[in-house]
């Protein structure tokens, strides 16, 4: 059964999450501090982390930054803040989803299932055409190399770049790219595609500063020309 780590300092909230997740067949482990969670994650396998932003020791944002130094385990943020800036910041530093309090525990459980389903190996990944040019995709390990250097991608960034590379030159709308991430359009994350693209471009430039393979089509979306 998938193991879910809940990092939440409010016992009542943690209890509702534990009940909802265990009802769906998940195994849960609850801690109240980010430091304790990071120590656990370095030594034990978890399939997903539900991480409160407002923790007593360090913020969930900072904890996620530290986590991404050694793990790509999916993260769902819990927060009392609903500003777009907070949501964009959370996703830019490597979160996979973002839930605002008060929330329905059933909704959180549904999002957990959606993320884990999205991350499960897909049989058709091996059938994707190998793109020409400087990119090399390894579907089995969810890795993409650029000029033979590994790109340190988040899961969302990997899925976006894989989608763009599979059909070079095709213009994908933000809604289509959200679908590739397994995120429903009504969630309101359409503009966050821009943040993920920004992150992808920055990581590509670190390897080849003059390279601009991801093209913006104003009012339409994005495409990828691997040779550029």
């Amino acid at each position: 059964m998938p193991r879910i780590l809940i990092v939440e300092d409010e016992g009542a909230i943690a209890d509702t999450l534990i009940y909802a997740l265990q009802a769906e067949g998940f195994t849960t482990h609850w801690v109240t501090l980010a430091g304790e969670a990071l120590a656990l994650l370095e030594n034990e396998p978890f399939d997903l982390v539900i991480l409160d932003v407002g923790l007593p020791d360090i913020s969930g944002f900072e904890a996620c930054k530290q986590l991404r130094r050694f793990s790509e385990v999916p993260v769902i943020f819990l927060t009392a803040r609903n500003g777009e800036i907070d949501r964009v910041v959370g996703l830019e530093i490597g979160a996979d989803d973002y839930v605002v309090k008060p929330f329905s525990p059933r909704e959180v459980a549904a999002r957990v299932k959606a993320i884990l389903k999205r991350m499960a190996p897909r049989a058709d990944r091996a059938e994707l055409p190998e793109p020409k040019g400087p990119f090399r995709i390894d579907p089995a390990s969810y890795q993409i190399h650029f000029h033979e250097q590994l790109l340190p991608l988040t899961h969302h960034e990997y899925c976006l770049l894989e989608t763009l590379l599979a059909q070079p030159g095709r213009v994908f709308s933000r809604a289509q790219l959200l679908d590739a991430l397994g995120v429903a359009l009504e969630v309101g994350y359409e503009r966050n595609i821009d943040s993920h693209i920004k992150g992808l471009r920055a990581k590509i430039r670190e390897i080849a500063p003059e390279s601009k393979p991801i093209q913006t089509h104003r009012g339409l979306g994005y495409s990828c020309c691997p040779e550029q």
Side-chain angles (χ1 to χ4, degrees):
M1 292 184 291
R3 298 186 72 212
I4 312 300
L5 179 61
I6 300 169
V7 193
E8 169 60 63
D9 62 320
E10 295 187 39
I13 292 176
D15 285 343
T16 61
L17 288 171
I18 290 168
Y19 179 82
L21 291 167
Q22 290 184 352
E24 296 290 342
F26 297 113
T27 298
T28 59
H29 188 94
W30 171 38
V31 297
T32 59
L33 298 175
E36 185 179 357
L38 290 168
L40 268 175
L41 288 160
E42 282 197 274
N43 295 287
E44 295 185 30
F46 286 91
D47 296 285
L48 185 139
V49 180
I50 297 176
L51 180 60
D52 187 24
V53 169
L55 293 167
D57 50 350
I58 60 174
S59 75
F61 289 155
E62 178 58 31
C64 188
K65 288 180 184 178
Q66 294 185 29
L67 174 63
R68 287 294 174 251
R69 294 171 188 166
F70 62 87
S71 174
E72 287 299 324
V73 62
V75 172
I76 296 178
F77 276 135
L78 299 179
T79 180
R81 295 180 282 187
N82 193 26
E84 183 179 0
I85 294 297
D86 289 335
R87 188 162 60 243
V88 170
V89 167
L91 294 173
E92 282 185 340
I93 63 177
D96 294 80
D97 208 343
Y98 198 105
V99 179
V100 178
K101 301 175 183 178
F103 54 80
S104 161
R106 275 182 160 185
E107 178 191 355
V108 177
R111 293 192 182 200
V112 168
K113 287 195 292 185
I115 290 173
L116 293 180
K117 181 179 179 181
R118 186 174 74 230
M119 294 196 68
R122 284 195 346 229
D124 60 344
R125 285 188 184 272
E127 299 171 6
L128 288 170
E130 182 70 19
K132 297 179 180 179
F135 290 96
R136 178 168 56 83
I137 300 175
D138 183 356
S141 61
Y142 290 86
Q143 292 181 341
I144 298 178
H145 288 75
F146 181 59
H147 289 294
E148 298 306 318
Q149 294 188 49
L150 178 64
L151 287 165
L153 305 177
T154 67
H155 186 72
H156 277 175
E157 289 169 348
Y158 172 87
C159 290
L160 285 176
L161 187 53
E162 179 197 61
T163 298
L164 291 168
L165 287 171
Q167 299 185 60
R170 174 184 168 180
V171 178
F172 288 85
S173 69
R174 291 182 178 85
Q176 289 170 326
L177 292 173
L178 273 178
D179 185 63
L181 298 182
V183 178
L185 182 59
E186 61 267 24
V187 171
Y189 284 171
E190 190 175 11
R191 281 291 170 182
N192 287 324
I193 291 293
D194 299 344
S195 297
H196 292 307
I197 294 293
K198 179 181 177 182
L200 275 171
R201 284 171 167 161
K203 292 173 182 180
I204 288 169
R205 282 197 302 269
E206 287 181 6
I207 296 173
E210 303 302 318
S211 184
K212 297 180 180 179
I214 301 176
Q215 307 297 310
T216 301
H217 302 265
R218 294 191 180 279
L220 297 174
Y222 297 97
S223 68
C224 186
C225 298
E227 301 290 349
Q228 293 193 18

